[in-house]
C-alpha cells in the first residue's frame, strides 16, 4: 500500500487506527516476553544455580503456558467476546511480569513465565482475530501483519533492554520493563469496542452497525447494511459452537491442516533457536566476547523489524502464496549457508555464519513470520474461527516449546552443524509444501473466502 493511502486512512479512520494500535500492542508484549530471556539467562544462571536442563525449562515455560492460554481463549472468545479475553490477557501479562521481576528462585521464575505464557497464548490468538474482524477487506493483510510487526518490535525492545541492563547484570529490570506496556495495553483495550462481527453473531447488530460506522466513516448506509448482511449470512450455516469433528470434514480439513502445518514448518525452520539462543549460537559459530554477541543480537532484532515492515507491503502487492514460497526458498538457502560455513571451520566461518543468520531472519521476517498468522485469521469460516485458530495456535506453540526445550540438548549432542542441517531440511520441505497447497487470499473478503471453503465441502 502506498504511503499516501496509509496517511489517508490515518486521517479518515482515527478509531480504526487507535484500535489497531491497541490490539497490536499485545503482539509487542508477546515479542518482549519471548525475546527477553536470551540476554537475561546468563545472569539468572549466576543468581540461582541453574542446570542446563532447567535452562531449557525456564525458556520453554512461556511456549508451554501459551498452549494453555490458547485453549482458554478458545472458550472465552466465543462465549464472552474478543474484548474480555484481551482484558484478561493484559492483566495476566502485568501480574506475570511483576512476579518474574521479584522471583526469589528459579521455580517461582518458571511459574511466572508459565503464567506469562498463558497471557501470550490467549492474546496471540485473540488479537489477530480482533484485528481481522475490525479491518476492511482491502487493507486486512496490512493490518493483521501489524500484529507480527509488533511482535518483532517487542523482541527488538527486549534485546535492547537486555543490552542496556547487561552491564549491571540486572536481569530483574530486563524482565520488569514489561510491566509498562502491559499497563498501556490494559487501559487501551478497556477503552476499545467489541468487534462488529462478534456483536452481530451475538444478536447485537445495532451496536455492531454503530461501530462499523465509526470504524469506516466513509462507507454509505447501503455498504454498512451489506457488511452486516454478509456477517449474518456467514453465520447462518452453524448456530452452535462447532463439533471438533467438523474440522475433519472434506471442505474444512485442507484448511485445518494447512493452518496447522504452516505453523509447524514456521517453528521447525529454527526461528526460535535464534530468537532465544542467539548469543549462544554466535559463540558456537566462533565469535567471542559478550559485547559482540549482544550487539549482533540487537542487529537481529532490527533486521527482523525492518523486513516485517516490507512484508506489510508485499502481502498486498505480491500476494500471500508467492511470498510464502519465496520465504521458504530464502530461509532454506540461508540455513544451508550457516550449516556449510560451520562445517568448513575456516577463518571466515564466523562471518559467513553471521551473514547466513541475518539472511535467514530477513527471509523469515518478510514471509514465514507474518503469513501463518494472517492465513489462520482469514481461512476459517466465522463459526469455526475461534476453534480453528486455536488448533493452528496450539501447533505453533507446541512446536515452539519443542524447539526451545530441545535446542540446547541438540547443540550439545549433535553440534551446530547437525542442528542447522535439520532446520535446513524443514525449510526445504516448506518449499514443496507451499508450492503444493498454499492458497491466495489477497483482496478477498472473509465472507468470500468462507464461501469458497463451503463450496468445497
Ligand atoms: C513466530 C514466533 C517468532 C517470531 C519472530 C512469529 O511469527 O510465531 O515464534 O518468535 O515470529 O519474529
Amino acid at each position: 500500500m502506498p504511503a499516501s493511502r496509509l496517511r489517508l486512512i490515518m486521517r479518515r479512520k482515527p478509531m480504526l487506527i487507535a484500535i489497531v494500535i491497541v490490539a497490536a500492542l499485545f503482539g509487542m508484549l508477546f515479542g518482549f516476553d519471548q525475546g527477553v530471556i536470551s540476554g537475561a539467562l546468563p545472569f539468572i544462571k549466576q543468581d540461582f544455580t541453574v542446570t542446563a536442563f532447567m535452562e531449557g525449562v525456564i525458556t520453554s515455560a512461556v511456549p508451554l503456558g501459551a498452549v494453555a492460554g490458547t485453549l482458554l481463549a478458545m472458550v472465552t472468545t466465543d462465549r464472552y467476546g474478543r474484548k474480555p479475553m484481551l482484558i484478561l490477557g493484559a492483566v495476566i501479562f502485568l501480574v506475570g511480569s511483576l512476579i518474574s521481576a521479584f522471583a526469589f528462585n528459579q521455580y517461582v521464575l518458571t511459574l511466572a513465565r508459565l503464567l506469562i505464557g498463558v497471557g501470550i497464548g490467549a492474546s496471540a490468538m485473540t488479537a489477530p482475530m480482533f484485528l481481522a474482524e475490525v479491518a476492511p477487506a482491502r487493507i486486512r493483510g496490512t493490518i493483521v501483519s501489524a500484529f507480527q510487526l509488533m511482535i518483532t518490535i517487542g523482541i527488538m525492545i527486549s534485546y535492547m533492554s537486555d543490552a542496556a541492563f547487561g552491564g549491571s547484570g540486572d536481569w530483574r529490570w530486563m524482565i520488569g520493563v514489561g510491566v509498562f506496556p502491559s499497563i498501556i495495553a490494559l487501559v487501551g483495550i478497556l477503552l476499545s469496542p467489541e468487534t462488529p462481527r462478534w456483536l452481530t453473531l451475538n444478536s447485537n447488530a445495532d451496536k455492531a452497525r454503530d461501530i462499523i460506522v465509526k470504524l469506516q466513516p466513509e462507507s454509505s448506509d447501503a455498504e454498512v447494511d451489506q457488511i452486516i448482511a454478509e456477517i449474518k449470512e456467514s453465520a447462518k450455516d452453524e448456530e452452535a459452537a462447532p463439533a471438533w469433528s467438523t474440522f475433519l470434514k472434506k471442505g474444512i480439513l485442507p484448511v485445518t491442516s494447512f493452518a496447522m502445518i504452516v505453523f509447524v514448518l514456521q517453528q521447525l525452520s529454527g526461528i526460535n533457536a535464534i530468537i532465544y539462543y542467539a548469543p549462544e549460537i554466535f559463540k558456537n559459530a566462533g565469535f567471542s566476547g559478550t559485547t559482540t554477541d549482544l550487539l549482533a543480537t540487537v542487529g537481529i532484532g532490527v533486521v527482523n523489524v525492518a523486513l516485517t515492515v516490507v512484508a506489510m507491503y508485499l502481502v498486498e502487492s505480491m500476494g500471500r502464496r508467492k511470498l510464502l514460497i519465496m520465504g521458504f526458498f530464502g530461509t532454506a538457502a540461508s540455513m544451508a549457508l550457516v550449516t556449510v560455513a560451520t562445517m568448513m571451520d575456516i577463518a571466515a566461518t564466523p562471518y559467513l555464519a553471521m551473514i547466513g543468520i541475518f539472511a535467514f531472519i530477513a527471509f523469515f521476517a518478510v514471509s514465514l513470520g507474518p503469513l501463518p498468522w494472517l492465513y489462520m485469521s482469514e481461512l476459517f469460516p466465522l463459526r469455526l474461527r475461534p476453534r480453528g485458530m486455536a488448533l493452528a495456535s496450539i501447533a505453533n506453540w507446541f512446536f515452539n516449546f519443542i524447539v526451545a526445550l530441545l535446542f540446547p540438548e541438540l547443540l550439545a549432542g549433535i553440534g551446530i552443524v547437525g542442528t542447522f542441517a535439520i532446520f535446513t531440511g524443514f525449510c526445504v520441505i516448506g518449499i514443496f509444501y507451499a508450492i503444493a497447497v498454499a492458497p491466495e487470499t489477497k483482496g478477498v473478503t472473509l465472507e468470500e473466502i468462507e464461501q469458497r471453503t463451503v463450496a468445497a465441502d
Side-chain angles (χ1 to χ4, degrees):
M1 188 188 341
S4 55
R5 221 174 104 205
L6 204 60
R7 271 198 299 275
L8 194 70
I9 293 172
M10 288 172 81
R11 251 205 329 271
R12 302 216 344 225
K13 302 182 202 283
M15 182 172 180
L16 179 63
I17 296 296
I19 291 179
V20 167
I21 291 173
V22 169
L25 248 184
F26 283 85
M28 199 196 101
L29 287 167
F30 164 173
F32 182 87
D33 285 309
Q34 277 221 134
V36 77
I37 198 67
S38 83
L41 257 179
F43 302 106
I44 294 173
K45 282 201 279 192
Q46 286 167 14
D47 271 13
F48 315 131
T49 29
V50 180
T51 62
F53 174 70
M54 267 312 282
E55 202 180 320
V57 172
I58 294 173
T59 306
S60 60
V62 163
L64 186 63
V67 174
T70 306
L71 292 170
L72 176 72
M74 187 187 75
V75 181
T76 324
T77 48
D78 220 5
R79 195 170 300 169
Y80 304 108
R82 293 24 170 164
K83 181 176 165 177
M85 185 65 254
L86 288 175
I87 295 175
L88 185 66
V91 171
I92 293 177
F93 274 126
L94 187 58
V95 175
S97 304
L98 280 173
I99 301 178
S100 323
F102 289 104
F104 50 84
N105 66 30
Q106 52 191 301
Y107 306 106
V108 174
L109 180 62
T110 306
L111 282 179
R113 284 182 52 80
L114 257 180
L115 187 65
I116 290 178
V118 174
I120 290 185
S123 40
M125 189 181 116
T126 316
M129 185 190 296
F130 189 90
L131 286 171
E133 290 183 359
V134 295
R138 64 184 188 289
I139 54 164
R140 194 182 54 241
T142 305
I143 286 193
V144 179
S145 308
F147 184 73
Q148 174 68 17
L149 177 65
M150 295 302 278
I151 297 179
T152 60
I153 291 179
I155 293 174
M156 185 181 73
I157 292 177
S158 77
Y159 287 165
M160 288 174 169
S161 169
D162 286 352
F165 294 106
S168 58
D170 198 340
W171 64 266
R172 293 181 189 280
W173 268 106
M174 288 179 185
I175 296 180
V177 167
V179 165
F180 304 108
S182 312
I183 294 174
I184 301 176
L186 180 59
V187 174
I189 194 67
L190 282 169
L191 296 174
S192 302
E194 183 51 85
T195 73
R197 279 199 168 78
W198 188 85
L199 288 169
T200 307
L201 211 58
N202 288 272
S203 323
N204 211 341
D206 288 346
K207 197 158 172 205
R209 177 170 241 298
D210 291 348
I211 293 169
I212 295 172
V213 171
K214 282 193 194 133
L215 289 171
Q216 307 184 35
E218 80 291 358
S219 299
S220 65
D221 281 358
E223 279 166 338
V224 176
D225 286 343
Q226 169 77 8
I227 296 173
I228 300 264
E230 281 182 4
I231 298 172
K232 283 187 175 159
E233 182 60 29
S234 68
K236 232 169 43 195
D237 297 337
E238 300 188 45
E239 279 306 324
W244 286 107
S245 57
T246 314
F247 290 93
L248 300 174
K249 272 171 57 185
K250 211 171 95 230
I252 305 293
L253 186 61
V255 171
T256 315
S257 57
F258 178 74
M260 292 178 81
I261 292 173
V262 81
F263 264 129
V264 172
L265 289 169
Q266 182 203 56
Q267 293 302 319
L268 295 181
S269 72
I271 179 65
N272 285 315
I274 297 178
I275 296 295
Y276 295 136
Y277 299 105
E280 192 147 352
I281 294 174
F282 287 129
K283 223 162 272 148
N284 263 271
F287 276 101
S288 53
T290 352
T291 323
T292 326
D293 298 343
L294 279 180
L295 283 182
T297 310
V298 172
I300 286 183
V302 173
V303 171
N304 200 13
V305 172
L307 271 292
T308 305
V309 175
V310 177
M312 291 172 69
Y313 288 88
L314 290 186
V315 283
E316 303 299 7
S317 56
M318 192 169 170
R320 286 51 158 165
R321 182 182 150 81
K322 262 199 226 146
L323 196 58
L324 189 67
I325 296 171
M326 186 205 79
F328 276 118
F329 261 113
T331 49
S334 322
M335 272 294 176
L337 174 61
V338 180
T339 314
V340 173
T342 43
M343 195 158 54
M344 289 190 311
D345 199 15
I346 51 174
T349 290
Y351 302 98
L352 290 176
M354 176 89 85
I355 292 172
I357 287 176
F358 272 87
F360 174 86
I361 292 290
F363 279 111
F364 179 93
V366 87
S367 153
L368 266 63
L371 284 172
W373 297 103
L374 183 56
Y375 271 130
M376 84 162 183
S377 65
E378 291 183 330
L379 287 177
F380 289 104
L382 181 58
R383 268 287 166 197
L384 302 189
R385 198 166 298 152
R387 286 193 168 189
M389 288 175 66
L391 285 172
S393 304
I394 286 170
N396 173 24
W397 289 116
F398 185 72
F399 281 85
N400 184 331
F401 164 69
I402 295 289
V403 172
L405 188 69
L406 296 187
F407 182 72
E409 306 278 328
L410 277 175
L411 211 54
I414 60 172
I416 191 165
V417 176
T419 310
F420 278 77
I422 295 177
F423 292 143
T424 308
F426 282 114
C427 294
V428 171
I429 294 175
I431 301 175
F432 291 106
Y433 183 72
I435 291 177
V437 295
E440 187 51 76
T441 48
K442 165 183 129 178
V444 187
T445 68
L446 290 180
E447 286 69 29
E448 279 161 355
I449 296 174
E450 180 159 347
Q451 271 157 22
R452 279 193 209 164
T453 312
V454 173
D457 198 359

